[in-house]
Amino acid sequence: MTIEAVQINMIWLTSVLYKPQRRILQSSRCLYYNNKRYTLLRMVDSTATSQPYLTLNNGTKIPAIGLGTYLATEGDCKTVVREAILNHGYRNIDTAKVYENEEPIGEALQEVFAAGIKREDVIVTTKLWHSDKLDIEGALRTSLKKLQLDYIDLYLVHWMVPVMVWEDENPIKGLPIHKVWAELERLVDAGLIKSIGVSNCAIPILVDIWSYARIKPVVNQVELHPYFVQKDSVEFHKKLGVVVQAYAPLGSSTWSLRPERFKDLNLLAEPVLVALAAKYGKSVGQIVLNWHLWRGHQVIPKTTKVARLAENIQVWDFKLTEEEYESISGLNQDARFFNPKAFEFSGWNHLPYFE
């Protein structure tokens, strides 16, 4: 079945090339082809063009709101990514090797490109896992193959740690960061990557990279939410010209490896946020995501629910008062939920990474 794009009243629908011997019936949401029912893909064009963008230090523009895909399962992931791009105007998709969903995302991307979305309009982010630092190009090419792309828009070092094998006499393995960064720069020069950045990168490591990098990191993807505001860190990133990407922007209440003292924290039930949501006719999640935009973050809320996509991206068309934004910042408890000290997997062995 060949797919082509047909534009009708600002909504993009996918159709099937007409074959006289076969009957095609089309409604506003579905298509019947040879007595089989297919869901029609559509794109709300206005969201893609009117949403806010941030400019990275290399001049690239990135949507202020992206789609996170951590823990998205194969079937759900493909559907959600396709719907996000075609129906809701998302133009940044964030994944990683260890999310194990690059293949379904690649399938979804091919469908949306076939439906008329331009490749250059979609920012695809994936990440280098620390166990792949001895073969960075190999890891990148594997991701490219799974995503069915010729280049990655934004490639991040997922964690700034080497491989650690505690049983060995020399437990620290792999390349030092300056050599990792030089290899990433080479891959940018080769046209396989457009922009490079870091994730979960502590300030001293970021400063060190900045001191020798020929191609500067454009983003640092870190945990950020009203319980973990990181005010000084965010301000430093702004001075340096590195965009802060916020993961777990709604507090990730289902994350099982939270420290015990933070187990009961739940942003969606905070009275301050519930009251603001009622006042502005928004969901609590929309209030929190709007707060992120006010602080200048690029935000990547994750969801596996198609119904949540519209809610998560329609968060820029209203403003709170300065006092209300500050009241949200006042929820800060320095509550870091994603801490390798609690990780037992991948040889981390409770690494005191942030201490």
Side-chain angles (χ1 to χ4, degrees):
M1 186 171 66
T2 305
I3 299 177
E4 64 177 357
V6 182
Q7 188 175 18
I8 303 175
N9 296 329
M10 295 301 292
I11 297 176
W12 287 83
L13 303 175
T14 57
S15 186
V16 181
L17 285 177
Y18 177 68
K19 294 185 177 181
Q21 73 272 24
R22 296 180 180 179
R23 189 181 183 191
I24 300 174
L25 298 176
Q26 186 170 295
S27 71
S28 62
R29 289 296 297 166
C30 62
L31 175 145
Y32 294 88
Y33 176 71
N34 254 17
N35 296 319
K36 291 184 179 180
R37 182 180 184 278
Y38 298 90
T39 301
L40 285 171
L41 306 178
R42 67 187 180 117
M43 179 188 73
V44 181
D45 220 21
S46 59
T47 300
T49 56
S50 62
Q51 63 180 300
Y53 279 69
L54 300 173
T55 301
L56 306 180
N57 60 39
N58 63 359
T60 300
K61 293 187 181 299
I62 189 170
I65 306 149
L67 175 66
T69 63
Y70 177 56
L71 296 182
T73 59
E74 184 171 340
D76 290 340
C77 184
K78 180 178 177 179
T79 300
V80 168
V81 170
R82 184 181 65 233
E83 289 285 318
I85 296 173
L86 287 172
N87 281 5
H88 301 286
Y90 283 82
R91 292 295 179 268
N92 175 218
I93 307 299
D94 180 272
T95 184
K97 171 193 173 176
V98 294
Y99 298 173
E100 298 183 340
N101 57 18
E102 289 176 319
E103 286 186 84
I105 289 175
E107 293 170 5
L109 290 172
Q110 292 309 302
E111 291 187 14
V112 302
F113 297 152
I117 304 299
K118 295 179 180 179
R119 167 66 184 95
E120 60 267 26
D121 290 340
V122 181
I123 303 292
V124 179
T125 304
T126 193
K127 306 178 188 77
L128 174 71
W129 192 240
H130 63 281
S131 60
D132 290 326
K133 290 175 182 174
L134 288 176
D135 185 14
I136 297 171
E137 181 172 348
L140 173 64
R141 289 190 180 277
T142 298
S143 289
L144 285 169
K145 183 178 180 180
K146 290 180 177 180
L147 290 164
Q148 301 184 53
L149 299 174
D150 295 325
Y151 63 88
I152 298 298
D153 299 272
L154 180 55
Y155 199 49
L156 308 183
V157 182
H158 206 151
W159 286 89
M160 313 306 292
V161 294
V163 175
M164 292 170 290
V165 183
W166 298 106
E167 296 78 15
D168 289 2
E169 182 177 353
N170 293 312
I172 309 300
K173 312 291 184 181
L175 295 178
I177 292 174
H178 72 91
K179 291 187 177 181
V180 171
W181 202 258
E183 179 66 0
L184 292 176
E185 291 174 327
R186 184 184 71 80
L187 294 169
V188 172
D189 294 338
L192 297 177
I193 307 170
K194 296 294 185 182
S195 302
I196 49 179
V198 293
S199 179
N200 301 294
C201 185
I203 292 294
I205 299 175
L206 181 62
V207 170
D208 183 59
I209 293 172
W210 196 269
S211 70
Y212 54 73
R214 174 172 57 87
I215 301 175
K216 306 299 186 185
V218 295
V219 304
N220 187 8
Q221 188 178 121
V222 298
E223 178 186 353
L224 275 173
H225 44 76
Y227 290 140
F228 194 46
V229 171
Q230 298 206 69
K231 181 179 179 180
D232 291 342
S233 177
V234 170
E235 289 302 316
F236 182 83
H237 281 80
K238 288 180 180 178
K239 290 179 181 178
L240 207 57
V242 176
V243 167
V244 173
Q245 287 186 323
Y247 74 77
L250 301 178
S252 195
S253 61
T254 59
W255 177 242
S256 62
L257 297 179
R258 286 182 171 201
E260 189 63 36
R261 66 186 182 280
F262 300 139
K263 290 286 188 183
D264 295 330
L265 292 180
N266 182 4
L267 277 176
L268 301 184
E270 280 290 343
V272 168
L273 298 173
V274 171
L276 288 172
K279 175 181 176 179
Y280 288 93
K282 304 292 181 180
S283 70
V284 170
Q286 288 177 308
I287 295 294
V288 174
L289 294 174
N290 181 273
W291 169 84
H292 280 283
L293 298 185
W294 171 72
R295 296 193 75 216
H297 308 157
Q298 201 252 356
V299 63
I300 45 172
K302 71 178 182 69
T303 185
T304 58
K305 299 176 181 177
V306 170
R308 193 79 68 187
L309 291 170
E311 177 183 326
N312 285 351
I313 199 170
Q314 295 289 348
V315 296
W316 72 83
D317 57 350
F318 66 98
K319 289 186 178 181
L320 313 185
T321 67
E322 290 294 313
E323 292 76 13
E324 289 168 338
Y325 283 125
E326 292 295 350
S327 71
I328 297 174
S329 299
L331 296 172
N332 180 54
Q333 298 191 34
D334 293 328
R336 186 188 296 278
F337 299 149
F338 291 81
N339 193 336
K341 194 172 183 178
F343 298 173
E344 296 181 358
F345 51 82
S346 299
W348 291 64
N349 295 90
H350 306 292
L351 175 72
Y353 179 80
F354 290 112
E355 297 179 11

